[in-house]
Amino acid sequence: MINRVVLVGRLTKDVELRYTTSGAAVGTFSLAVNRQFTNSNGERETDFINAVIWRKSAENFANFTSKGSLVAVEGRLQTRNCENQQGQRVYVTEIVVDNFSLLEIRAESEQRRNQNNNNQSQGSFNSEPPENTFNEQQPQQGGFTPNQMYGNDATSFNEDDLPF
């Protein structure tokens, strides 16, 4: 079986970096990826694709990227499900990133980071894609906990540390 995904796009916001109770870093982010074709109005549509990255790669990715960074990610597509607070089953599909590449020179990245920091301090409004509505619920996928799925110590897992 093959499950490989390669995406090139721009970060829609800064990476959200968190840590599990066992100390594993986990970063979540969304990529804006343009479609290869145009719609009936001649415009390219954009997909907003959620992704998660783990451990040292997550720390490096968060440190060297910011909103708008052009990146390539490689990983696998994963779907999990959980019950939300209303008792409804919610399905989540995301890319679990194995490798990434930064696709712009450092000067461009630093210039955008400074520009983003200036815009935030001035209180400007930037529209972003809708946020996930998973409200820190522990997923249930095939009877496995997130630690069993990702190889962390299940006894030290805290659902408040979930990346979603």
Side-chain angles (χ1 to χ4, degrees), residues 74-104:
E74 177 187 1
R76 62 185 164 84
L77 190 63
Q78 174 178 284
T79 301
R80 33 184 190 82
N81 63 74
C82 60
E83 272 190 30
N84 65 13
Q85 292 176 341
Q86 292 78 26
Q88 300 168 322
R89 180 123 340 253
V90 178
Y91 292 88
V92 181
T93 301
E94 62 196 357
I95 307 301
V96 179
V97 176
D98 296 327
N99 299 303
F100 68 89
S101 296
L102 307 177
L103 300 180
E104 55 192 4

Short mmCIF file of all heavy atoms in Angstrom, two decimals, residues 74-104:
data_model
loop_
_atom_site.label_atom_id
_atom_site.label_comp_id
_atom_site.label_asym_id
_atom_site.label_seq_id
_atom_site.Cartn_x
_atom_site.Cartn_y
_atom_site.Cartn_z
N GLU A 74 6.33 16.71 2.98
CA GLU A 74 6.13 15.34 2.52
C GLU A 74 5.69 14.52 3.72
O GLU A 74 6.21 14.67 4.82
CB GLU A 74 7.43 14.77 1.97
CG GLU A 74 7.32 13.33 1.53
CD GLU A 74 8.67 12.75 1.16
OE1 GLU A 74 9.69 13.44 1.25
OE2 GLU A 74 8.68 11.57 0.79
N GLY A 75 4.71 13.67 3.51
CA GLY A 75 4.22 12.85 4.61
C GLY A 75 3.16 11.89 4.15
O GLY A 75 3.12 11.47 3.00
N ARG A 76 2.27 11.57 5.09
CA ARG A 76 1.20 10.63 4.80
C ARG A 76 -0.14 11.26 5.17
O ARG A 76 -0.23 12.09 6.08
CB ARG A 76 1.39 9.32 5.53
CG ARG A 76 1.38 9.44 7.03
CD ARG A 76 1.70 8.10 7.71
NE ARG A 76 2.05 8.28 9.09
CZ ARG A 76 1.19 8.38 10.09
NH1 ARG A 76 -0.10 8.29 9.85
NH2 ARG A 76 1.60 8.56 11.31
N LEU A 77 -1.16 10.87 4.46
CA LEU A 77 -2.52 11.33 4.74
C LEU A 77 -3.10 10.46 5.84
O LEU A 77 -2.97 9.23 5.81
CB LEU A 77 -3.36 11.22 3.47
CG LEU A 77 -4.73 11.87 3.49
CD1 LEU A 77 -4.61 13.37 3.68
CD2 LEU A 77 -5.45 11.57 2.18
N GLN A 78 -3.71 11.10 6.82
CA GLN A 78 -4.29 10.36 7.94
C GLN A 78 -5.69 10.90 8.24
O GLN A 78 -5.91 12.10 8.24
CB GLN A 78 -3.41 10.53 9.18
CG GLN A 78 -4.00 9.91 10.43
CD GLN A 78 -3.05 10.09 11.59
OE1 GLN A 78 -2.06 9.40 11.68
NE2 GLN A 78 -3.36 11.02 12.47
N THR A 79 -6.61 9.99 8.48
CA THR A 79 -7.96 10.36 8.89
C THR A 79 -8.24 9.72 10.23
O THR A 79 -7.95 8.55 10.45
CB THR A 79 -9.01 9.88 7.86
OG1 THR A 79 -8.70 10.46 6.60
CG2 THR A 79 -10.40 10.27 8.28
N ARG A 80 -8.75 10.53 11.15
CA ARG A 80 -9.15 10.01 12.46
C ARG A 80 -10.50 10.60 12.78
O ARG A 80 -10.99 11.47 12.06
CB ARG A 80 -8.13 10.37 13.55
CG ARG A 80 -7.44 11.62 13.39
CD ARG A 80 -6.37 11.87 14.44
NE ARG A 80 -5.99 13.25 14.25
CZ ARG A 80 -6.63 14.29 14.72
NH1 ARG A 80 -7.67 14.12 15.50
NH2 ARG A 80 -6.27 15.50 14.45
N ASN A 81 -11.13 10.09 13.81
CA ASN A 81 -12.43 10.62 14.19
C ASN A 81 -12.56 10.66 15.69
O ASN A 81 -11.86 9.95 16.41
CB ASN A 81 -13.56 9.82 13.54
CG ASN A 81 -13.59 8.39 13.99
OD1 ASN A 81 -13.99 8.10 15.11
ND2 ASN A 81 -13.16 7.47 13.13
N CYS A 82 -13.44 11.51 16.16
CA CYS A 82 -13.71 11.65 17.59
C CYS A 82 -15.12 12.20 17.76
O CYS A 82 -15.76 12.60 16.79
CB CYS A 82 -12.68 12.58 18.24
SG CYS A 82 -12.66 14.24 17.58
N GLU A 83 -15.60 12.20 18.98
CA GLU A 83 -16.89 12.80 19.28
C GLU A 83 -16.67 14.20 19.81
O GLU A 83 -15.84 14.41 20.68
CB GLU A 83 -17.64 11.97 20.33
CG GLU A 83 -18.46 10.87 19.73
CD GLU A 83 -19.38 10.21 20.75
OE1 GLU A 83 -19.82 10.88 21.70
OE2 GLU A 83 -19.64 9.02 20.57
N ASN A 84 -17.43 15.17 19.28
CA ASN A 84 -17.32 16.53 19.79
C ASN A 84 -18.17 16.67 21.05
O ASN A 84 -18.79 15.71 21.51
CB ASN A 84 -17.67 17.56 18.72
CG ASN A 84 -19.12 17.48 18.27
OD1 ASN A 84 -19.96 16.84 18.88
ND2 ASN A 84 -19.41 18.17 17.17
N GLN A 85 -18.22 17.88 21.59
CA GLN A 85 -18.95 18.10 22.85
C GLN A 85 -20.45 17.90 22.70
O GLN A 85 -21.13 17.66 23.69
CB GLN A 85 -18.65 19.51 23.37
CG GLN A 85 -17.21 19.66 23.81
CD GLN A 85 -16.88 21.07 24.24
OE1 GLN A 85 -17.59 22.01 23.90
NE2 GLN A 85 -15.80 21.21 24.98
N GLN A 86 -20.95 17.97 21.48
CA GLN A 86 -22.38 17.74 21.25
C GLN A 86 -22.68 16.27 20.99
O GLN A 86 -23.82 15.91 20.70
CB GLN A 86 -22.86 18.56 20.04
CG GLN A 86 -22.86 20.06 20.27
CD GLN A 86 -21.48 20.68 20.15
OE1 GLN A 86 -20.61 20.15 19.47
NE2 GLN A 86 -21.26 21.78 20.85
N GLY A 87 -21.69 15.42 21.09
CA GLY A 87 -21.88 13.99 20.88
C GLY A 87 -21.90 13.57 19.43
O GLY A 87 -22.24 12.43 19.12
N GLN A 88 -21.52 14.45 18.52
CA GLN A 88 -21.49 14.12 17.11
C GLN A 88 -20.10 13.61 16.72
O GLN A 88 -19.10 14.08 17.24
CB GLN A 88 -21.80 15.35 16.25
CG GLN A 88 -23.16 15.95 16.53
CD GLN A 88 -23.31 17.31 15.88
OE1 GLN A 88 -22.38 18.10 15.84
NE2 GLN A 88 -24.51 17.57 15.37
N ARG A 89 -20.05 12.66 15.81
CA ARG A 89 -18.78 12.13 15.33
C ARG A 89 -18.18 13.12 14.34
O ARG A 89 -18.84 13.55 13.40
CB ARG A 89 -18.96 10.76 14.68
CG ARG A 89 -17.68 10.21 14.18
CD ARG A 89 -17.22 8.85 14.67
NE ARG A 89 -17.72 8.29 15.88
CZ ARG A 89 -16.99 8.20 17.00
NH1 ARG A 89 -15.79 8.66 17.05
NH2 ARG A 89 -17.50 7.62 18.06
N VAL A 90 -16.93 13.51 14.57
CA VAL A 90 -16.23 14.46 13.73
C VAL A 90 -15.03 13.75 13.11
O VAL A 90 -14.27 13.08 13.81
CB VAL A 90 -15.75 15.68 14.55
CG1 VAL A 90 -14.97 16.65 13.69
CG2 VAL A 90 -16.93 16.37 15.21
N TYR A 91 -14.87 13.89 11.80
CA TYR A 91 -13.75 13.28 11.09
C TYR A 91 -12.71 14.34 10.76
O TYR A 91 -13.05 15.44 10.34
CB TYR A 91 -14.23 12.59 9.81
CG TYR A 91 -15.09 11.39 10.11
CD1 TYR A 91 -16.46 11.52 10.30
CD2 TYR A 91 -14.51 10.13 10.25
CE1 TYR A 91 -17.24 10.42 10.60
CE2 TYR A 91 -15.29 9.03 10.54
CZ TYR A 91 -16.65 9.18 10.71
OH TYR A 91 -17.43 8.09 11.03
N VAL A 92 -11.46 13.99 10.98
CA VAL A 92 -10.35 14.90 10.74
C VAL A 92 -9.39 14.23 9.76
O VAL A 92 -8.95 13.11 9.99
CB VAL A 92 -9.58 15.20 12.05
CG1 VAL A 92 -8.43 16.15 11.81
CG2 VAL A 92 -10.52 15.72 13.12
N THR A 93 -9.09 14.93 8.67
CA THR A 93 -8.10 14.45 7.71
C THR A 93 -6.96 15.46 7.70
O THR A 93 -7.20 16.67 7.60
CB THR A 93 -8.71 14.31 6.30
OG1 THR A 93 -9.80 13.38 6.39
CG2 THR A 93 -7.70 13.80 5.31
N GLU A 94 -5.74 14.97 7.83
CA GLU A 94 -4.58 15.86 7.89
C GLU A 94 -3.36 15.14 7.33
O GLU A 94 -3.36 13.92 7.16
CB GLU A 94 -4.31 16.28 9.34
CG GLU A 94 -3.97 15.12 10.24
CD GLU A 94 -4.08 15.44 11.73
OE1 GLU A 94 -4.35 16.60 12.09
OE2 GLU A 94 -3.89 14.52 12.53
N ILE A 95 -2.34 15.91 7.04
CA ILE A 95 -1.07 15.37 6.60
C ILE A 95 -0.18 15.23 7.83
O ILE A 95 -0.01 16.17 8.59
CB ILE A 95 -0.38 16.32 5.59
CG1 ILE A 95 -1.30 16.67 4.43
CG2 ILE A 95 0.95 15.72 5.11
CD1 ILE A 95 -1.80 15.51 3.64
N VAL A 96 0.38 14.04 8.05
CA VAL A 96 1.38 13.84 9.08
C VAL A 96 2.73 13.98 8.39
O VAL A 96 3.11 13.15 7.57
CB VAL A 96 1.24 12.46 9.76
CG1 VAL A 96 2.32 12.28 10.82
CG2 VAL A 96 -0.15 12.31 10.37
N VAL A 97 3.43 15.07 8.68
CA VAL A 97 4.63 15.45 7.94
C VAL A 97 5.83 14.65 8.43
O VAL A 97 6.10 14.57 9.63
CB VAL A 97 4.89 16.97 8.10
CG1 VAL A 97 6.19 17.37 7.42
CG2 VAL A 97 3.72 17.76 7.56
N ASP A 98 6.56 14.08 7.46
CA ASP A 98 7.82 13.38 7.74
C ASP A 98 9.02 14.28 7.42
O ASP A 98 10.02 14.27 8.14
CB ASP A 98 7.94 12.11 6.89
CG ASP A 98 6.88 11.09 7.21
OD1 ASP A 98 6.46 11.01 8.39
OD2 ASP A 98 6.45 10.38 6.29
N ASN A 99 8.95 15.02 6.32
CA ASN A 99 10.04 15.87 5.84
C ASN A 99 9.47 17.19 5.36
O ASN A 99 8.33 17.25 4.90
CB ASN A 99 10.78 15.21 4.66
CG ASN A 99 11.40 13.89 5.06
OD1 ASN A 99 12.18 13.82 5.98
ND2 ASN A 99 11.03 12.84 4.33
N PHE A 100 10.31 18.23 5.44
CA PHE A 100 9.90 19.52 4.90
C PHE A 100 11.10 20.21 4.27
O PHE A 100 12.25 19.90 4.59
CB PHE A 100 9.26 20.41 5.97
CG PHE A 100 10.21 20.88 7.04
CD1 PHE A 100 10.93 22.06 6.88
CD2 PHE A 100 10.38 20.16 8.20
CE1 PHE A 100 11.80 22.49 7.87
CE2 PHE A 100 11.24 20.58 9.20
CZ PHE A 100 11.96 21.75 9.03
N SER A 101 10.81 21.15 3.37
CA SER A 101 11.84 21.98 2.75
C SER A 101 11.37 23.42 2.75
O SER A 101 10.20 23.70 2.47
CB SER A 101 12.09 21.55 1.30
OG SER A 101 12.61 20.25 1.25
N LEU A 102 12.29 24.32 3.08
CA LEU A 102 12.00 25.75 3.02
C LEU A 102 12.30 26.20 1.60
O LEU A 102 13.39 25.95 1.09
CB LEU A 102 12.85 26.51 4.03
CG LEU A 102 12.78 25.99 5.47
CD1 LEU A 102 13.73 26.76 6.37
CD2 LEU A 102 11.35 26.06 5.99
N LEU A 103 11.36 26.88 0.93
CA LEU A 103 11.49 27.17 -0.48
C LEU A 103 11.74 28.64 -0.80
O LEU A 103 11.54 29.06 -1.94
CB LEU A 103 10.24 26.69 -1.22
CG LEU A 103 9.96 25.19 -1.12
CD1 LEU A 103 8.70 24.84 -1.90
CD2 LEU A 103 11.15 24.39 -1.64
N GLU A 104 12.16 29.41 0.17
CA GLU A 104 12.52 30.80 -0.11
C GLU A 104 13.78 31.15 0.65
O GLU A 104 14.13 30.49 1.63
CB GLU A 104 11.37 31.74 0.24
CG GLU A 104 10.87 31.62 1.65
CD GLU A 104 9.55 32.36 1.87
OE1 GLU A 104 8.99 32.91 0.91
OE2 GLU A 104 9.09 32.38 3.00
#
